[in-house]
């Protein structure tokens, strides 16, 4: 398969993720949108990696997966903390950093 | 040369490859759309798991075998289990899930435009119709990636392990229960009020510390 097909797919994934982050109010769905964005980036990295016959893109994708794990852990912990103090995970209601 | 590499090495994709790619791409995009449109977070998480499995298959079709396995293990396995746990803790029905505000919609369109410009620039410079003539047989295997990771990319690797450590500690600190501290603060507040009242009713009978000891009224 030519590389541009993969690029269009990664384009679509990143866009869907962006729409999820910007248009949803549920903080959990927003975090899932971020995961979709990261995966879109990963797909582009792997496609170019094959195009250029260079495996450094795979290493970057590996690092991004580890980064996504850390981001998910901290993000979900913040959500649990937010829910403890406000009893909501609606982002429109959580606009203040203080209690 | 294994079948995946042989398929990738041809100058034009075979019909079977095209059909497979079309099915996988439709699968991934469809479940990604389900993820961001479902009202129930559990359905959204399950759709995201399906998306990640489809992506793992696409990574395999790019000869990225190690990354395909990692995608299933780390994303579909570990991260999504974390998501499921938190969804189970915080599950609330949304009243109005979508925040369709003009500025946010504008943001989505702006991103689409930016990506489109980016895609055009990239497409011109790389000649993306080309497919690499021949990939090495060991391309994308654990051995190759590991060799690069532990030689050229050793410092990024160590940095990412440090980041994971910080994330573990940060996750525990942020999500820890503050109930004991809040209770201690309220108790201190209550004691202070009692002392003030005692001072008001029986002035000059000693410092609050003595009143806290009690017994001499």
């Amino acid at each position: 398969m030519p590389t541009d097909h993969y690029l269009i797919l990664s384009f679509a994934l990143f866009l869907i993720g962006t729409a999820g982050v910007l248009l949803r109010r549920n903080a959990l769905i927003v975090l899932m949108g971020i995961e979709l964005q990261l995966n879109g980036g990963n797909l582009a990295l792997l496609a170019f990696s094959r195009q250029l016959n260079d495996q450094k893109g795979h290493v970057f994708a590996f690092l991004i997966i580890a980064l996504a794990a850390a981001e998910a852990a901290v993000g979900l912990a913040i959500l649990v903390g937010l829910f403890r103090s406000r009893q909501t995970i609606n982002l429109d209601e959580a606009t203040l950093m203080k209690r | 040369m294994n079948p995946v590499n042989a398929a990738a090495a041809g100058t034009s994709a075979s019909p079977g490859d095209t059909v497979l790619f079309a099915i996988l791409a439709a699968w991934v995009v469809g479940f990604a759309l389900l993820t961001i449109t479902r009202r129930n977070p559990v359905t959204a998480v399950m759709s995201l798991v399906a998306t990640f499995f489809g992506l793992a298959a696409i990574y395999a079709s790019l000869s990225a075998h190690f990354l395909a396995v990692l995608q299933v293990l780390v994303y579909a396995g570990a991260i999504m289990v974390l998501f499921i746990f938190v969804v189970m803790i915080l599950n609330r029905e949304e009243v109005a899930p979508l925040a369709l505000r003009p500025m946010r919609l504008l943001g989505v369109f702006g991103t689409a435009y930016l990506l489109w410009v980016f895609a055009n620039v990239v497409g011109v410079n790389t000649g993306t119709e080309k497919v690499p003539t021949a990939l090495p047989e060991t391309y994308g295997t654990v051995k190759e990636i590991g060799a690069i990771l532990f030689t050229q990319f050793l410092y990024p690797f160590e940095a990412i392990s440090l980041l994971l450590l910080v994330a573990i500690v940060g996750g525990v600190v942020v999500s820890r229960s503050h109930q004991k501290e809040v209770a201690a603060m309220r108790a201190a507040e209550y004691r202070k009020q009692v002392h003030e009242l005692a001072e008001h009713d029986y002035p000059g009978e000693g410092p609050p510390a003595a009143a806290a000891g009690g017994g001499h009224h």
Side-chain angles (χ1 to χ4, degrees):
Chain A
M1 290 300 298
T3 307
D4 55 355
H5 285 48
Y6 290 103
L7 288 185
I8 290 166
L9 181 60
S10 91
F11 177 95
L13 266 183
F14 191 88
L15 196 58
I16 292 169
T18 309
V21 170
L22 288 177
L23 299 180
R24 290 297 301 254
R25 287 201 178 99
N26 190 335
L28 275 166
I29 312 280
V30 169
L31 276 182
M32 290 183 214
I34 295 173
E35 301 293 335
L36 280 175
Q37 286 181 312
L38 287 169
N39 272 279
N42 261 354
L43 183 57
L45 277 176
L46 292 179
F48 280 123
S49 200
R50 188 194 62 155
Q51 165 99 7
L52 302 172
N53 192 3
D54 186 341
Q55 295 174 76
K56 291 194 190 89
H58 291 215
V59 177
F60 282 120
F62 169 82
L63 295 178
I64 288 175
I65 287 181
L67 185 87
E71 173 256 319
V74 175
L76 291 171
I78 289 174
L79 281 197
V80 172
L82 181 74
F83 188 77
R84 279 222 170 96
S85 66
R86 304 261 170 88
Q87 276 71 48
T88 182
I89 50 168
N90 187 334
L91 290 179
D92 285 353
E93 293 172 23
T95 51
L96 293 174
M97 289 190 83
K98 62 181 184 181
R99 266 168 210 267
Chain B
M1 199 173 258
N2 64 41
V4 176
N5 284 345
T11 45
S12 64
S14 70
D17 276 353
T18 311
V19 170
L20 185 66
F21 179 78
I23 292 171
L24 285 176
W27 171 282
V28 167
V29 171
F31 276 107
L33 281 173
L34 275 184
T35 303
I36 66 159
T37 51
R38 289 307 91 188
R39 184 173 282 227
N40 186 352
V42 178
T43 320
V45 171
M46 287 306 164
S47 308
L48 197 55
V49 172
T51 311
F52 288 157
F53 271 105
L55 267 174
I58 284 177
Y59 290 175
S61 81
L62 279 167
S63 308
H65 312 295
F66 176 49
L67 263 295
V69 172
L70 267 192
Q71 178 82 7
V72 173
L73 276 182
V74 178
Y75 258 121
I79 296 181
M80 295 332 285
V81 168
L82 200 60
F83 264 94
I84 282 284
F85 268 119
V86 175
V87 166
M88 297 295 174
I89 295 173
L90 312 180
N91 205 354
R92 285 285 170 99
E93 278 297 315
E94 285 182 88
V95 183
L98 279 179
L100 286 171
R101 292 207 215 103
M103 282 310 287
R104 294 192 174 190
L105 271 180
L106 206 64
V108 175
F109 288 129
T111 313
Y113 177 70
L114 209 66
L115 282 175
W116 185 247
V117 171
F118 172 75
N120 281 334
V121 171
V122 164
V124 167
N125 286 337
T126 55
T128 47
E129 278 302 325
K130 281 188 302 181
V131 176
T133 46
L135 289 170
E137 198 168 330
T138 55
Y139 184 84
T141 54
V142 183
K143 190 180 172 189
E144 291 274 309
I145 308 294
I148 298 174
L149 192 60
F150 289 115
T151 54
Q152 271 183 282
F153 287 86
L154 185 61
Y155 290 123
F157 179 78
E158 295 297 338
I160 210 85
S161 55
L162 199 64
L163 177 80
L164 281 171
L165 180 67
V166 171
I168 294 168
V169 177
V172 171
V173 169
V174 169
S175 68
R176 175 189 57 174
S177 171
H178 293 283
Q179 275 175 356
K180 276 183 186 167
E181 287 156 43
V182 170
M185 270 171 59
R186 283 196 184 135
E189 190 75 14
Y190 179 71
R191 273 200 300 276
K192 202 177 139 206
Q193 282 176 359
V194 168
H195 293 156
E196 278 167 5
L197 281 177
E199 193 66 21
H200 180 264
D201 290 348
Y202 308 100
E205 285 198 14
H216 71 278
H217 284 309

